[in-house]
Amino acid sequence: MRQTTIIIGAGLTGLTAAHTLRKQGKEVLVVEKENRIGGQIRTFEEQGFVYESGPNTGMVAYPEVAELFTDLAAYGCKLLTAREEAKQRWIWKGERFHALPIGLKASVQTTLFSWHDKLRILAEPFREVGTDADESVAQLVRRRLGDSFERYAVDPFISGVYAGDPERLVTRYALPKLYNLEHTYGSFVRGAIAKMRQPKTPRDLLATKKVFSAEGGIQRLVDALGRSVGETNIVLGASNLHLQPSDQGWKAEYTQADGTVCSILAQQVVTTIGAYALPQLLPFVPQTLMEPITCLRYAPIVQVSVGFADVQGQRNEAFGGLVPSCENRHILGVLFPASCFEGRAPKQGDLFSVFVGGIKHPEVLDMNDAELTQMVLAELRHMLRLPADVQPSLLKIFRHRHAIPQYEVSSGARFKAIDALQSQYRGLIVAGNLRNGIGMADRIKQGATIIPQELADI
Ligand SMILES: Cc1cc2nc3c(=O)[nH]c(=O)nc-3n(C[C@H](O)[C@H](O)[C@H](O)COP(=O)(O)OP(=O)(O)OC[C@H]3O[C@@H](n4cnc5c(N)ncnc54)[C@H](O)[C@@H]3O)c2cc1C
């Protein structure tokens, strides 16, 4: 048998895992159903605009992210971090965007939160620790910080990250760092201070709150991963892929674009695909074991990239704006990529990345292009005060049915089922964004660490 690891899916997780194994001198084969690598990550270039169909930016939240960019410099990928001037986040309230406060003075002055809640924060370190392990993000924030913080900070943040519903996302799964602040240190404030004071190794310091992309767009990251893994180690256009455990290891069978059926034997297999696609891939797994995994809900997102060739260089000095659900608008939020990074729009122009839909508005996915265009332009004009006579020179619509998995109360059972599956079928690793986090930084960290050394050492 070939001492190979098969990695299923050439998205960021699969490619990072393959890159990590290749660095250790191991043999890998990445099998991908599409004719391109990158999965949800894709950048387009047109008329002087550089725009994304999926993620726009990630956060250098773990050392693994910084280390990956260091590795990939040799393959032509250059890390870009967002301009300092564009770090401000906006929140929509009462017919205009407000800056999310940074620092004490701005926090006191902001009208986003009520005076009652601002004063309540002083008592946050002394509030009791919650006892409901499955407490939702909304419940936790209301309990510790107050209603206005839930509605005007956490709800829009959850829309921006999960396109989700804070009443249904369970804190210990969806925001484990926040959950641990309360459960390890007794309070958010005390936890944040303790974390700041903790001694840090040089490696710890690689993790920052910096927002990243890559020069030329985020696809350059996966393109560089593709080069590092090597073209010959990636199979594209593999349809009808399914796995079977056997005495000699794992047998993977798939159909190539030309109709040829291929079969490979490998020591181990790492899946990085969505929960909904696993039953077809793993037909031997009993339905009772698979059901807690496949019941995972995904938020749909429609992303609309809107470019204006000439706004006389008048750009917003911010990262973007988010919209709380209680404000009842038609968009989840809008990003300003040209404010964050050089070269994303023509010199005098501007680019917007508008997100609509999410778990609360799945019907948006079924709107046609004309309806979406009208809705998004009306919202952009109203919310950003764009003159009605200025027409976009670029408008692209991207629909994602399974955009973001929702770490709701079912997550505990899903993680247990994955553990059971992996211990029952040795050499199978079920990875991807169905666990260990949904952002690009989480995907990189998982890809870099998911394969245990004893399995890697084959
Ligand atoms: C609209 C949108 C906006 C986002 N915004 C952000 C953001 O701003 N910041 C951030 O950090 N993250 C964001 N994300 C999340 C981020 O894109 C993902 O975390 C990341 O790209 C997922 O990578 P992955 O490799 O785990 O999955 P994927 O990219 O989904 O890759 C899985 C791969 O598996 C392949 N595959 C599926 N089934 C099979 C099969 N049966 N056989 C073979 N191959 C198969 C797929 O074709 C795909 O290439 C966003 C996601 C979306 C959709």
Side-chain angles (χ1 to χ4, degrees):
M1 186 193 7
R2 282 169 67 191
Q3 300 291 290
T4 297
T5 299
I6 296 178
I7 295 175
I8 294 159
L12 184 57
T13 310
L15 290 173
T16 306
H19 164 81
T20 307
L21 284 181
R22 293 285 294 149
K23 250 176 76 174
Q24 296 162 358
K26 307 289 178 340
E27 206 180 301
V28 292
L29 187 71
V30 181
V31 185
E32 165 60 50
K33 78 172 160 68
E34 300 295 335
N35 286 316
R36 56 174 286 276
I37 61 168
Q40 294 184 333
I41 293 174
R42 192 162 192 178
T43 308
F44 295 84
E45 240 183 293
E46 196 179 322
Q47 304 170 49
F49 296 100
V50 174
Y51 57 96
E52 310 286 352
S53 69
N56 276 253
T57 58
M59 203 181 275
V60 190
Y62 309 111
E64 286 81 0
V65 179
E67 287 163 349
L68 183 66
F69 274 101
T70 304
D71 285 359
L72 295 181
Y75 297 92
C77 172
K78 192 163 173 230
L79 169 75
L80 263 194
T81 52
R83 293 167 59 236
E84 263 302 291
E85 299 83 346
K87 74 172 180 198
Q88 190 73 67
R89 263 80 170 160
W90 291 352
I91 305 285
W92 183 261
K93 183 180 184 186
E95 290 302 295
R96 71 179 180 89
F97 276 118
H98 300 246
L100 191 65
I102 302 172
L104 186 63
K105 190 171 165 213
S107 305
V108 173
Q109 286 174 345
T110 183
T111 52
L112 282 173
F113 314 123
S114 70
W115 275 108
H116 177 259
D117 289 345
K118 286 185 212 171
L119 289 172
R120 270 188 93 224
I121 283 215
L122 298 174
E124 194 277 339
F126 311 105
R127 217 148 272 145
E128 272 180 31
V129 172
T131 50
D132 176 5
D134 284 339
E135 190 172 33
S136 74
V137 173
Q139 285 168 333
L140 169 73
V141 173
R142 273 196 296 269
R143 178 168 60 73
R144 293 208 73 84
L145 302 177
D147 190 48
S148 64
F149 282 96
E150 194 286 307
R151 280 189 294 144
Y152 285 99
V154 170
D155 174 285
F157 167 76
I158 289 292
S159 283
V161 175
Y162 272 91
D165 180 353
E167 304 288 349
R168 294 196 57 161
L169 292 172
V170 170
T171 318
R172 67 178 163 142
Y173 307 128
L175 300 177
K177 284 184 184 169
L178 189 71
Y179 179 84
N180 287 336
L181 284 184
E182 183 184 44
H183 287 267
T184 310
Y185 302 97
S187 122
F188 298 161
V189 173
R190 274 192 275 150
I193 294 170
K195 289 219 142 220
M196 254 175 353
R197 289 188 179 152
Q198 261 169 13
K200 305 227 166 28
T201 65
R203 185 167 188 263
D204 293 338
L205 291 171
L206 294 176
T208 64
K209 291 198 162 44
K210 286 195 173 143
V211 165
F212 75 79
S213 176
E215 201 170 88
I218 199 74
Q219 190 177 315
R220 298 278 176 96
L221 170 65
V222 281
D223 287 347
L225 275 168
R227 283 192 287 277
S228 144
V229 172
E231 216 175 280
T232 51
N233 299 313
I234 303 175
V235 174
L236 297 177
S239 59
N240 195 25
L241 173 65
H242 48 276
L243 301 173
Q244 206 61 51
S246 76
D247 293 344
Q248 295 108 50
W250 286 91
K251 187 173 143 203
E253 205 170 81
Y254 59 89
T255 310
Q256 285 186 163
D258 64 2
T260 317
V261 175
C262 296
S263 180
I264 336 160
L265 270 180
Q267 186 96 4
Q268 61 179 334
V269 190
V270 182
T271 78
T272 69
I273 67 178
Y276 50 90
L278 285 174
Q280 207 195 353
L281 181 72
L282 309 170
F284 53 89
V285 175
Q287 215 252 332
T288 45
L289 191 50
M290 196 52 109
E291 210 279 325
I293 304 175
T294 50
C295 71
L296 175 59
R297 296 201 310 154
Y298 286 75
I301 295 181
V302 178
Q303 182 175 180
V304 186
S305 293
V306 187
F308 293 88
D310 191 357
V311 292
Q312 276 120 44
Q314 297 284 314
R315 291 182 185 155
N316 301 301
E317 286 294 317
F319 177 76
L322 289 168
V323 184
S325 330
C326 62
E327 291 285 323
N328 292 317
R329 300 226 53 106
H330 296 296
I331 68 170
L332 297 170
V334 50
L335 299 177
F336 309 141
S339 305
C340 296
F341 306 110
E342 291 295 325
R344 299 291 158 113
K347 222 174 173 43
Q348 293 297 310
D350 206 354
L351 175 68
F352 301 102
S353 213
V354 185
F355 292 85
V356 289
I359 203 80
K360 291 184 185 170
H361 294 287
E363 72 284 356
V364 164
L365 208 70
D366 299 318
M367 288 170 73
N368 65 33
D369 285 4
E371 291 165 336
L372 279 166
T373 301
Q374 196 191 21
M375 183 175 89
V376 164
L377 284 182
E379 287 293 64
L380 266 190
R381 292 202 160 106
H382 179 80
M383 300 176 83
L384 297 177
R385 317 265 191 258
L386 297 176
D389 57 336
V390 180
Q391 292 302 325
S393 43
L394 175 119
L395 195 143
K396 301 285 173 187
I397 298 172
F398 302 99
R399 293 175 177 80
H400 303 267
R401 186 165 295 280
H402 294 112
I404 310 279
Q406 303 293 297
Y407 289 10
E408 298 177 341
V409 73
S410 61
S411 299
R414 178 170 75 259
F415 302 151
K416 270 197 197 134
I418 292 171
D419 286 346
L421 203 57
Q422 294 184 158
S423 45
Q424 198 168 330
Y425 300 99
R426 208 182 123 65
L428 172 68
I429 297 176
V430 179
N433 61 7
L434 40 68
R435 63 172 166 129
N436 303 131
I438 52 127
M440 285 191 284
D442 303 308
R443 303 294 80 238
I444 291 172
K445 182 174 179 186
Q446 189 194 57
T449 56
I450 189 95
I451 297 159
Q453 202 54 44
E454 68 270 18
L455 283 175
D457 280 343
I458 53 175

